[in-house]
Amino acid sequence: KLVAERYLKREILGEGTYGVVFKAIDTKTGKTVAIKKIRLGKYKEGVNFTALREIKLLKELKDPNIIELIDAFPHKGNLHLVFEFMESDLEAVIRDRNAVLSPADVKSYLQMTLKGLAFCHKKWVLHRDMKPNNLLIGSDGQLKLADFGLARIFGSPDRKFTHQVFARWYRAPELLFGTKQYGAGVDVWAAGCIFAELLLRRPFLQGSSDIDQLGKIFAAFGTPKPSQWYDMVYLPDYVEYQFVPAPPLRSLFPMASDDALDLLSKMFTYDPKARISAQQALEHRYFTTVPAPTKPALLPRPI
Ligand code: ADP
C-alpha cells in the first residue's frame, strides 16, 4: 500500500521533535527517503495554509549542504515531509569512540556546516534548532543540515516536547534571555557550540536549565559587560548574574590551533550584532591555513 500513491513505507527510524520519522522507498525515483510525520496538534483543523506556503519555500532551498525536502503533503490529518535519506549524523561521529577526528576532519565538518548555514541565511531562512543530530551525514561523507526553517513554522520544539532537552546546550544567550527579534546569529552561536564539541568530543556547555545554561556560558566567556553587549539588559527575561571574569579560551581548548580559537571566539561573540556571520566565518584564515579540510569521502565512516 503506497502513501500518497508514491511512497512505500518501511521501518520507523525514530521519534523526533515533531513526530515519527520513517524510512520509505520513493517509487517514482527508486530512492530511499525519510518521511517526517508532523503532528499538527492544536492547528489540526484546516491543515494550516501558512505552514504549507512556507514549506513550499523550503522546497526551493537547494544546496549540497542542506537536506533536500523532496515532497510535502497532508495525509490522514498529519503533515508528511519527505527528505533524502541519510546514513548517519554528526552526533554519532562525535560519540563514536573508535573514530579519530583529526584537526583536518574537524575543519571539514565545520566548513560544511557553515556552507549550509551561509546558503540559508543568504535566503533569509534561519534554522533556530542546530545541534549535532540535525547535521546528517550521507554515504559519501557529505554533511547536510536537516530541519531548516521548521522551528519557525512549527514553533520552538523543546517547549512543546519535553524529551528535547539537548537543544538548550546550543542556544544563544539572546534566546536564553527571551529575545523576540533574533537573527542568523543564533545559528552561528550553535555552530560555535558544535565546533567546540568537535574539538572536545563532548557537549561544551551542558546547562541543566536555561538559567544554568547562561551561568555555564558566562563561566566560559566571562559575564558580558555593557560595553560588550549594550542591549542585554533590555531583553525580556534579563536577570543580573554575578560577575565572573573570562578565563583564557586556551585553557578550555588546550589542543586547538590559534586560528581555530580565534574563529571560535568570534562565533561566541555576545552581542548578536557583532557576532561573525556564517559567510564571514567561511572566509576566516582558519579555512585557508594548513591543514586543509579533509575531503568528505575521506572522513571517518560512521558506524
Ligand atoms: P530530532 O527532532 O530529535 O532532531 P528528527 O525528527 O530529526 O529528530 O529525527 C528522528 C529520527 O529520525 C532520528 O533518529 C534521525 O536520525 C532520523 N532521521 C531524521 N531525518 C533523517 C533522514 N533524512 N535520513 C535518515 N534518518 C533521519
Side-chain angles (χ1 to χ4, degrees):
K1 179 92 167 49
L2 296 182
V3 177
E5 297 173 343
R6 176 168 169 181
Y7 303 99
L8 204 51
K9 224 166 153 170
R10 292 277 184 258
E11 74 270 21
I12 287 181
L13 290 168
E15 172 89 13
T17 314
Y18 304 102
V20 174
V21 182
F22 55 89
K23 197 170 178 172
I25 310 296
D26 183 351
T27 58
K28 193 173 143 192
T29 61
K31 284 188 181 159
T32 308
V33 294
I35 303 186
K36 249 179 213 197
K37 215 166 119 177
I38 300 198
R39 294 177 283 234
L40 288 170
K42 58 178 171 173
Y43 334 90
K44 211 149 196 164
E45 306 305 313
V47 171
N48 202 303
F49 283 107
T50 325
L52 284 177
R53 189 174 340 110
E54 300 222 13
I55 281 167
K56 228 173 184 153
L57 294 174
L58 294 185
K59 275 166 106 176
E60 312 297 316
L61 276 187
K62 284 193 190 165
D63 182 81
N65 296 111
I66 301 296
I67 290 276
E68 189 184 342
L69 175 57
I70 297 164
D71 194 9
F73 55 89
H75 180 72
K76 291 188 186 161
N78 290 308
L79 188 56
H80 288 59
L81 302 182
V82 182
F83 296 96
E84 53 181 316
F85 179 82
M86 302 288 278
E87 305 289 329
S88 186
D89 61 60
L90 195 63
E91 192 188 8
V93 173
I94 292 170
R95 274 209 316 242
D96 179 3
R97 288 291 136 204
N98 296 315
V100 177
L101 288 186
S102 71
D105 297 343
V106 170
K107 198 175 283 190
S108 179
Y109 286 126
L110 182 67
Q111 190 178 46
M112 292 189 281
T113 303
L114 289 170
K115 279 181 178 172
L117 274 189
F119 173 83
C120 289
H121 291 171
K122 200 170 68 190
K123 311 243 169 192
W124 303 102
V125 179
L126 306 186
H127 192 291
R128 176 67 179 69
D129 190 30
M130 294 262 296
K131 53 196 169 175
N133 72 342
N134 269 337
L135 307 185
L136 303 185
I137 296 176
S139 48
D140 56 357
Q142 276 286 345
L143 178 149
K144 295 176 187 235
L145 311 195
D147 287 355
F148 237 103
L150 296 190
R152 200 176 91 85
I153 303 174
F154 300 108
S156 177
D158 53 346
R159 245 163 258 177
K160 286 192 191 141
F161 303 104
T162 42
H163 75 271
Q164 265 293 20
V165 286
F166 304 118
R168 180 189 302 121
W169 301 340
Y170 306 91
R171 196 138 289 184
E174 64 270 26
L175 289 175
L176 293 162
F177 275 140
T179 188
K180 286 169 182 82
Q181 290 156 300
Y182 57 85
V186 301
D187 291 339
V188 173
W189 181 278
C193 295
I194 292 164
F195 186 12
E197 187 164 335
L198 283 164
L199 296 168
L200 298 171
R201 296 295 290 272
R202 60 173 164 76
F204 176 38
L205 302 164
Q206 304 183 42
S208 55
S209 64
D210 287 2
I211 298 280
D212 184 51
Q213 187 65 34
L214 280 161
K216 295 254 161 44
I217 293 171
F218 297 161
F221 307 116
T223 316
K225 301 186 195 77
S227 61
Q228 270 173 293
W229 187 7
Y230 174 81
D231 301 325
M232 173 174 66
V233 298
Y234 302 108
L235 293 175
D237 304 333
Y238 172 74
V239 280
E240 203 174 317
Y241 277 74
Q242 196 187 343
F243 180 79
V244 284
L249 197 53
R250 165 65 62 209
S251 66
L252 302 176
F253 301 94
M255 310 295 268
S257 70
D258 289 343
D259 289 338
L261 281 193
D262 186 80
L263 175 55
L264 199 61
S265 69
K266 289 177 165 130
M267 296 174 80
F268 284 131
T269 299
Y270 279 129
D271 185 347
K273 291 201 289 291
R275 198 172 298 150
I276 196 169
S277 71
Q279 184 55 46
Q280 287 165 336
L282 284 168
E283 291 159 15
H284 190 277
R285 66 174 184 280
Y286 169 66
F287 290 110
T288 49
T289 51
V290 286
T294 307
K295 288 186 181 67
L298 302 176
L299 284 168
R301 292 294 322 263
I303 30 117

